[in-house]
Amino acid sequence: MIFLNILFVLCTVVTEVWTCTCFPTHIQNHYCKARLILVATVKDTEDVYQNSIIKAPNMMNPENPYERMPVERKYKVRIHRFFKGKELLGNNGKKVKYIHTSASGAACGLTLNKGKTYILSARIQRQGEIWSSMCDWVQNYKTLNRHQLKGIKFFYKRNCKCSVSWCQGSYCQGPGPKECEWIPQMYTDCLQEHGFCMINSRGVCQWKKNKQLRKCLEKNNQNMPGEEKEYYEIPRDSPHRPGEFQSWRSSQNYQVYLPNRYDIK
């Protein structure tokens, strides 16, 4: 028992040094991979502490370093509706009053504001408890636009055979037939806000183009993946004019095409 308590202290110290890292994920992928999608309003917050005879050092309070630190945070919520997974809770769905998360930001603990209404993805742990984290989909419900609401209600569920993928680096081969390519944007992300990755009549997944998506792409000077052109400069020792450029892009067979340096006319 003493060994377990010491191990808990070490884990607590280490997690305060590490930081939470989450990979960019499109809303459609969040929806398809999540066990639960729900809308809830935060009513109150409660911290849960570890029952241990050995107190873990509290890095957040230098004046009292051995004050107990919470290991779990419970958000008391009012759940308005489930978009996905309510049947997994059975009769306990109406009894759920809390959303659980880690109390540490280093362990991807979630921070929700009292009085705000969120849509979030979650999972079921322990005895029917709902858990979520910083790496799950968590968004202020009022910020959802018309296209995202349509996706949640209809399009995401119908197209979970498709996956939104992103890749960076020279090793990337381009998306497969069941994937839609996505390049995350720092500010306005048009494909995140207005994009549906849908399967067509040939069984290939592609972005569904709509008027709002086109306007967003034009306004923010963004291109649809696969339509953008990348350029490289032809070496000056080649039998062509210095400074001449040649474009390349992935072929329909999803293999990168690089032209022979002596084939360019």
Side-chain angles (χ1 to χ4, degrees), residues 186-240:
M186 184 175 295
Y187 299 106
T188 302
D189 194 324
C190 297
L191 288 174
Q192 184 78 281
E193 295 183 2
H194 306 289
F196 305 134
C197 180
M198 304 179 67
I199 192 165
N200 60 22
S201 58
R202 296 181 288 109
V204 177
C205 295
Q206 63 182 24
W207 290 110
K208 177 179 173 58
K209 297 180 180 179
N210 56 67
K211 184 178 181 181
Q212 197 63 35
L213 177 58
R214 292 194 193 96
K215 285 185 177 180
C216 182
L217 292 171
E218 292 175 1
K219 180 179 179 180
N220 294 279
N221 196 27
Q222 299 175 18
N223 294 316
M224 287 288 290
E227 294 181 353
E228 56 191 351
K229 296 182 179 180
E230 299 184 32
Y231 296 90
Y232 68 91
E233 185 174 359
I234 297 176
R236 292 180 181 273
D237 60 348
S238 64
H240 310 289

Side-chain angles (χ1 to χ4, degrees), residues 70-84:
V71 295
E72 179 186 327
R73 182 164 293 123
K74 295 164 56 178
Y75 289 102
K76 187 176 182 179
V77 296
R78 177 189 173 191
I79 297 180
H80 301 282
R81 67 177 300 180
F82 285 89
F83 281 109
K84 183 181 179 182

